């Protein structure tokens, strides 16, 4: 846990002072990723550098796990926090392996433990250890170097990570992959992470919470979906962009909106004519057909009108199935693309979990915006 | 040809004078390095001090060597070393300071701030940062300073023959006094060859001491 309490940072003295940070108060909970977001020069890097005492605080206090950082030994403080700097800063005289090994060596880890750790981390950032271990930074592209920088920050398995635009130099395709990989790892490791970004998309994707800065002030500190749906002022809504409704759809997962017990489901062995009767009674036009727990398709009244056998004989396959972690944005786009109002949700064994309809999604969006309409 | 004959005929003496020359230059280079490199590093932390130290070294450099010997003589005479190897070695140490301090200072200053940020941010202390990062990155430029100092000192050591320091300068000095061209040429030739060899040797050392990663970086950025 990191607590910022009325933190102010003023650079310089006398006439030409710059107030980089002004009276900033917020808390990063243990195990959460908090994104420091805002345009260039708004104080993100400064906040990070105050946290590991690379800069001194002008006013206010920062506590790490309840302890004032000014009462801690700087070197000890820094070694318990991984640090990934904005301009990468790999040591050109050291091999990739030795770059990653810096903090473990400082901490006096045994050699074989360090070797194993290097390979594990390089694999995690998608650099084959066999190929890259003994290379030098100059032989790597900017994006690859940045991945080594991330590996280096994680090396000693610190409880806290300070990351300054850690994926900025990586090309978009690899960036998505590294972000996904990083989130997967984070799900397991549950580190406390302060993560600087100027990219709203990255912030929404990576952040448990977003701290949005403007000129050294913390404007809004919220979960991404709240920032998007209930922006505090015009600065926030401008920053998150006109397409914020779409971005919300990117955050909200199918798992949050789906219906686990839909009424319009039948077993595949039911006779088609029985189903037709039920559909007439319930005035339903669309039925999902499930066979032994697996969704086999759907039927409409037209399809089963003349069928004598079981309903599974005429069921049409769904073009696609959703998972609970699918963003509702993707679900919606499948619905539009294939002209469906209902899709099935399955688990990893392809077992039927429920359905999502266009209305389910719309309802959820309306709920999210409810707060804004109150204002 | 006559010069060559002179060298062959006097080879024991040639060897002795060469040894004296090597001795003066290496002893002074070792001491100068021990003073200049740490000083060059220390002043990177203090701009004001840096200016003063480098200016000081610059002033020493502008004093002609003969004048420097003359200035030192009465002082060193107090401890009975007005003439001989002591004033020579002191002079060589003083002259070496500018290239050594300046190169060290510039090399360390030029290490990119992001290296320093990364190192400090990961919990390296001042000494670890210096040893693991700053010096390895700065080493080619530091050694280049030593190289300049060494080559320069070989020349100045030849002049030190005038204060009785010995070395190959003795041939030049005596040759002039006795109007003995072969002797003058022998001295000049040997000093020059020595300087060329040391220059080449220091170039090899510079390369050998440069970390592989830095060599690769240089090659790729060309
Ligand atoms: N060492 C420094 N000396 C003076 N001003 C600084 C220093 N570091 C940062 N600043 C100023 O503080 C402000 C915030 O900078 P920074 O935290 O680096 O912004 P960001 O990371 O959000 O782009 C900027 O106006 C910047 O110019
Ligand atoms: Mg920054």
């Amino acid at each position: 846990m990191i607590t910022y309490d009325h933190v102010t940072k003023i650079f310089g003295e006398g006439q030409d002072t710059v107030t980089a940070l002004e009276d900033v108060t917020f808390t990063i909970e243990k195990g959460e990723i908090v994104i420091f977001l805002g345009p260039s020069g708004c104080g993100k890097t400064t906040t990070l550098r105050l946290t590991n005492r690379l800069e001194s605080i002008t006013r206010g206090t920062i506590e790490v796990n309840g302890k004032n950082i000014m009462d801690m030994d700087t070197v000890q403080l820094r070694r318990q926090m991984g640090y990934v700097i904005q301009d990468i800063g790999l040591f050109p005289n050291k091999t990739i392996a030795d770059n990653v090994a810096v903090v473990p060596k400082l901490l006096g880890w045994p050699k074989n433990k360090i070797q194993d750790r290097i390979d594990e981390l390089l694999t995690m950032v998608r650099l084959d250890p066999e190929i890259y271990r003994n290379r030098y930074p100059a032989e790597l592209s900017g994006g690859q170097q940045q991945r080594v920088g991330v590996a280096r920050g994680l090396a000693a398995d610190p409880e806290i990570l300070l990351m300054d635009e850690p994926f900025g130099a990586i090309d978009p395709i690899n960036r998505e992959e590294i972000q996904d990989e990083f989130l997967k790892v984070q799900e397991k490791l549950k580190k406390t992470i302060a993560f600087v970004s100027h990219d709203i998309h990255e912030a929404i994707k990576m952040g448990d919470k977003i701290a949005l800065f403007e000129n050294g002030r913390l404007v809004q500190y919220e979960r991404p979906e709240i920032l998007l749906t209930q922006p505090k002022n015009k600065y926030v809504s401008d920053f998150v962009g006109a397409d914020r409704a779409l971005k919300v759809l990117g955050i909200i997962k199918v798992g949050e909106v789906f219906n686990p017990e839909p009424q319009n489901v039948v077993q595949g062995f039911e006779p088609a004519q029985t189903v037709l009767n039920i559909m007439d009674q319930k005035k339903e036009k669309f039925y999902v057909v499930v066979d032994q727990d697996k969704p086999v398709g759907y039927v409409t009244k037209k399809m089963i009108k003349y069928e004598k056998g079981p309903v599974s004989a005429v069921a049409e396959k769904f073009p696609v199935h959703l998972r609970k972690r699918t963003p509702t944005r993707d679900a919606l786009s499948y619905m539009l693309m294939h002209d469906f109002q209902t899709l099935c949700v399955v688990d990893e064994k392809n077992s039927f979990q429920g359905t999502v309809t266009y209305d389910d999604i719309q309802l959820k969006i309306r709920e999210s915006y409810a707060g804004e309409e109150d204002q | 040809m006559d010069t060559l004959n002179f060298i062959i005929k006097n080879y024991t003496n040639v060897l002795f004078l060469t040894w004296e020359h090597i001795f003066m230059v290496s002893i002074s280079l070792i001491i100068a390095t021990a003073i200049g490199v740490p000083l060059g590093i220390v002043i990177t932390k203090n701009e004001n001090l840096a200016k003063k130290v480098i200016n000081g070294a610059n002033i020493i450099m502008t004093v002609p060597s003969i004048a420097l010997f003359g200035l030192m003589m009465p002082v060193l005479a107090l401890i009975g070393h007005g003439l001989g190897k002591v004033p020579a070695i002191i002079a060589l140490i003083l002259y070496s300071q500018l290239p050594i301090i300046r190169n060290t200072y510039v090399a360390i200053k030029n290490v990119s701030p992001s290296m320093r940020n990364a190192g400090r941010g990961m919990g390296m202390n001042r000494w670890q940062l210096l040893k693991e990062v700053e010096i390895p990155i700065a080493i080619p430029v530091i050694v280049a300073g030593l190289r300049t100092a060494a080559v320069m000192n070989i020349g100045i050591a030849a002049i030190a023959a005038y204060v009785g320091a010995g070395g190959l300068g003795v041939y030049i000095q005596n040759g002039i006094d006795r109007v003995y061209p072969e002797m003058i040429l022998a001295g000049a030739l040997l000093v020059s060859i020595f300087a060329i060899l040391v220059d080449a040797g220091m170039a090899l050392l510079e390369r050998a001491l440069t970390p592989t990663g830095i060599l690769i970086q240089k090659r790729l950025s060309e």
Side-chain angles (χ1 to χ4, degrees), chain A residues 11 18 20 39-46:
Chain A
F11 284 108
V18 179
S40 179
C42 69
K44 310 179 295 289
T45 297
T46 302

Side-chain angles (χ1 to χ4, degrees), chain A residues 258-270:
Chain A
F258 83 114
N259 181 358
E261 287 167 341
Q263 297 304 303
N264 56 339
V265 175
V266 320
Q267 295 297 322
F269 57 76
E270 298 275 0

